[in-house]
Amino acid sequence: MEYRITRCSYALVSSDRPEYVTKIYDKNGIFYSKKTKLSLLDEACIRMRGCDYRGQVRAFKKLFGYNKAPVILSLPHIFAIPTKSPSVHDCQWIFLQHVSNLIEQNGRLIIVFKNKQ
């Protein structure tokens, strides 16, 4: 069964396994997908909001002028932000509702989730 983004999703990152594209941190464990991060987000946008990823990003950029537009999948529960431009391979997506703390260490930002990951 293919992974679907839910309220339990913490982050979408690049996979460390060659047979998969995306590594998913979830409240129920770590999952892997052959789908890209943007593909998983697009499916979630359509399923939860009735619009595709590109439409949501265009609207957000037009309203607020952000270059790295967040994706609102379900208010107030599922809100994802990119760490870089989504077109960059190593862009990671963080689901804000699970973030506990942000720590700067050696010029890098470390995100600590509520489950201490």
Side-chain angles (χ1 to χ4, degrees), residues 15-26:
S15 176
D16 51 0
R17 295 185 179 179
E19 66 271 25
Y20 295 103
V21 178
T22 304
K23 182 177 184 178
I24 302 117
Y25 288 90
D26 185 283

Side-chain angles (χ1 to χ4, degrees), residues 3-4 6-10 24-31 98 115 117:
Y3 184 84
R4 290 173 61 164
T6 68
R7 291 182 178 149
C8 295
S9 305
Y10 279 41
I24 302 117
Y25 288 90
D26 185 283
K27 189 175 184 179
N28 299 307
I30 295 174
F31 300 90
H98 297 293
N115 70 351
Q117 284 186 314

Side-chain angles (χ1 to χ4, degrees), residues 30-88:
I30 295 174
F31 300 90
Y32 291 87
S33 176
K34 292 184 178 183
K35 294 182 180 180
T36 66
K37 295 173 282 243
L38 289 181
S39 178
L40 290 167
L41 285 165
D42 189 50
E43 289 173 1
C45 285
I46 292 167
R47 188 176 75 251
M48 295 179 193
R49 303 278 292 182
C51 67
D52 67 2
Y53 166 81
R54 289 182 192 270
Q56 192 173 142
V57 168
R58 271 194 316 270
F60 202 91
K61 284 182 180 181
K62 188 172 186 174
L63 288 170
F64 301 104
Y66 292 144
N67 288 329
K68 293 186 286 186
V71 175
I72 301 166
L73 299 170
S74 172
L75 286 175
H77 307 292
I78 307 174
F79 194 90
I81 59 165
T83 58
K84 297 180 178 182
S85 168
S87 62
V88 176

